[in-house]
């Protein structure tokens, strides 16, 4: 075994760091959009809104039932073939679309479960004082469902950050894409990828800290 | 004033309420008694539209609704005219005692924050929980939670407060403080309809006791009459059984 080229690794850190913001942007934008979509799906499913409910079920089934990589290729290579107007979709947009829909499908189910888990009697109490369905959702159900769903949602977020690495297959030079290029130039594959791995790891660890903090805060109301 | 005309509720083929006719005056304290599963709770829940009645009309204050033609706005209005106290308190777990009471004023009545919280604090004084303003339901005893539940109903200043077995879920040690608060409200002539098995409360506080069996009003009258001289055999039978376990 050759000796690890530590000097190369240290030199690589500032180079790769420049691509970390794009990785975080892909995941950040993807997460916000996925959350909005997932909440929408969850409410549609809970209220069983006709037609939309069936459409949502099919959507969720498809995006949970097929690999993310296949979905990304469909968005990036497939759709523009079918509709020429969609050739404007670049790798970044296709990645965000794929991440959003893929993770929205998963998150919708955990948000739905969290909503259903909110004590039914509180729903009745809210209705009894004359709240509308919207007020009930906004003021009583969603805040409590958030607390229940938070750990799972954070897990999906962590998963999504790592899934952004698939964007390199669409020619996007984010952290993974940049590492791939560096490694191909230097042939020091282990050094390059271990640096990238550690960067992902640190980001995820920081997020776990944030998760702990949020959980403590949201649990405030439930401590005896 | 509350007026129910031919109010019925069917669950599928089961008739739970069978053409109930009932008038309650402003300030009247009505206690509803009867065997389990005979429609007492359903009656209260129908008035608050937590259940959709099958037929009949309801008048609460200046609002009259034909239940079959009730629009979404009618249902909201009816709920806002009536306040409900739940057997299991049903406090909003994500809100403090103060917020639970202020919630309706803020969200439904659209009061400004300061005014709503000021009123909520007054109510907390009245229910003897001023020191629990910032406590969450999970940290309160059952009795305290139910007092907040009653406080939440008081905030509505509704035509009537509907109490659905308010002490049935409580450990015995907390029953008195909740009944005490209800007595206090009764002495202020807050119109109340109370479903309960607390016969001593019925005897001491009610203006009228209504005995319901099989979804119908079997017998009604002042407590002295119902308890000492029930006329219908079903009333006699029920009172004999319940007074054996809950002596007045």
């Amino acid at each position: 075994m050759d000796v690890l080229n530590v000097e190369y690794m240290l030199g690589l850190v500032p180079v790769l760091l420049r691509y970390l913001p794009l990785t975080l942007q892909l995941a950040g934008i993807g997460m916000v959009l996925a959350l909005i979509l997932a909440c929408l799906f969850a409410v549609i499913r809970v209220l069983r809104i006709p037609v939309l409910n069936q459409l949502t079920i099919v959507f969720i089934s498809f995006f949970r039932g097929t690999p993310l990589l296949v979905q990304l290729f469909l968005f990036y290579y497939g759709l523009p073939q079918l509709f020429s107007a969609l050739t404007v979709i670049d790798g970044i947009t296709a990645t965000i679309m794929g991440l959003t829909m893929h993770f929205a499908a998963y998150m919708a189910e955990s948000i739905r479960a969290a909503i259903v888990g909110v004590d039914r009697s509180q729903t009745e109490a809210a209705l009894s004082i004359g709240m509308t369905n919207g007020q009930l959702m906004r003021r009583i159900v969603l805040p409590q469902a958030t607390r229940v769903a938070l750990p799972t949602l954070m897990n999906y977020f962590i998963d999504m950050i790592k899934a952004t690495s698939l964007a390199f297959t669409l020619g996007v030079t984010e952290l993974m894409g940049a590492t791939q290029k560096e490694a191909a130039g230097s042939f020091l594959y282990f050094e390059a990828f271990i640096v990238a791995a550690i960067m992902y790891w640190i980001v995820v660890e920081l997020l776990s800290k944030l998760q702990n903090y949020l959980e403590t805060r949201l649990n405030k109301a439930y401590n005896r | 004033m509350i007026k129910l005309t031919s109010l019925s509720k069917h669950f599928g083929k089961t008739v739970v309420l069978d053409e109930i006719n009932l008038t309650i005056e402003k300030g009247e304290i009505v206690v509803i008694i009867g065997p389990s599963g005979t429609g007492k709770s359903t009656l209260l829940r129908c008035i608050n539209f937590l259940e959709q009645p099958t037929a009949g009309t309801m008048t609460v204050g200046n609002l009259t609704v034909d239940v079959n033609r009730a629009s979404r706005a009618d249902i909201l209005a009816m709920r806002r005219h009536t306040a409900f106290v739940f057997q299991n308190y049903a406090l909003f777990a994500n809100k403090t005692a103060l917020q639970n009471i202020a919630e309706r004023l803020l969200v439904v009545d659209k009061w400004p924050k300061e005014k709503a919280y000021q009123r909520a604090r007054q109510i907390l004084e009245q229910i003897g929980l001023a020191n629990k303003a910032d406590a969450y339901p999970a940290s309160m005893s059952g009795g305290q939670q139910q007092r907040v539940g009653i406080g939440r109903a008081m905030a509505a200043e509704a035509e009537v407060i509907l109490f659905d077995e308010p002490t049935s879920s409580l450990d015995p040690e907390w029953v008195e403080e909740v009944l005490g608060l209800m007595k206090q409200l009764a002495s202020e002539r807050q119109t109340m309809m109370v479903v309960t098995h607390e016969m001593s409360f019925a005897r001491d506080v009610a203006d009228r006791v209504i005995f319901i069996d099989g979804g119908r009003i079997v017998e009604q009258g002042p407590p002295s009459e119902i308890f000492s001289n029930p006329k219908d055999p079903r009333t006699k039978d029920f009172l004999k059984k319940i007074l054996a376990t809950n002596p007045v």
Side-chain angles (χ1 to χ4, degrees), chain B residues 76-142:
Chain B
L76 278 183
M78 190 55 94
R79 285 177 175 158
R80 289 166 185 182
H81 273 65
T82 55
F84 206 97
V85 175
F86 294 85
Q87 179 176 348
N88 60 356
Y89 339 128
L91 296 186
F92 305 130
N94 58 330
K95 300 197 178 289
T96 62
L98 185 74
Q99 290 167 336
N100 263 280
I101 294 172
E103 185 69 4
R104 142 153 199 155
L105 302 173
L106 286 169
V107 179
V108 177
D109 303 321
K110 311 267 191 241
W111 285 21
K113 243 186 190 155
E114 215 160 293
K115 190 179 165 201
Y117 284 127
Q118 199 186 350
R119 175 76 188 116
R121 275 183 208 287
Q122 273 176 6
I123 292 173
L124 276 175
E125 285 296 331
Q126 279 174 279
I127 64 176
L129 289 174
N131 59 336
K132 288 283 177 188
D134 298 322
Y136 286 96
S139 68
M140 289 189 272
S141 74

Side-chain angles (χ1 to χ4, degrees), chain A residues 119 121-122 124-133 135 139-140 143-144 220-224, chain B residues 45 48 50 76 79-80 82 86 88 90-95 103-104 107-108 110 136 138 152:
Chain A
D119 184 12
S121 69
Q122 290 185 47
E124 289 200 333
L127 292 177
S128 87
I129 61 176
M131 279 198 202
T132 61
N133 281 329
Q135 290 168 335
R139 310 262 324 171
I140 308 299
Q144 295 186 58
K220 199 180 66 179
Y222 302 85
N223 297 329
R224 281 167 191 279
Chain B
R45 292 170 60 82
N48 194 236
L50 287 175
L76 278 183
R79 285 177 175 158
R80 289 166 185 182
T82 55
F86 294 85
N88 60 356
L91 296 186
F92 305 130
N94 58 330
K95 300 197 178 289
E103 185 69 4
R104 142 153 199 155
V107 179
V108 177
K110 311 267 191 241
Y136 286 96
R152 179 171 66 188

Side-chain angles (χ1 to χ4, degrees), chain A residues 107-172:
Chain A
M107 297 193 310
E109 289 299 287
S110 44
I111 294 176
R112 187 180 69 90
I115 289 176
V116 174
V118 173
D119 184 12
R120 165 96 192 130
S121 69
Q122 290 185 47
T123 300
E124 289 200 333
L127 292 177
S128 87
I129 61 176
M131 279 198 202
T132 61
N133 281 329
Q135 290 168 335
L136 159 70
M137 276 289 160
R138 242 184 2 262
R139 310 262 324 171
I140 308 299
V141 176
L142 288 180
Q144 295 186 58
T146 306
R147 170 181 159 264
V148 176
L150 183 78
T152 338
L153 294 182
M154 285 302 273
N155 264 340
Y156 285 131
F157 188 34
I158 286 170
D159 216 10
M160 192 187 287
I161 290 177
K162 292 179 293 178
T164 55
S165 60
L166 291 176
F168 99 96
T169 61
L170 308 187
V172 179

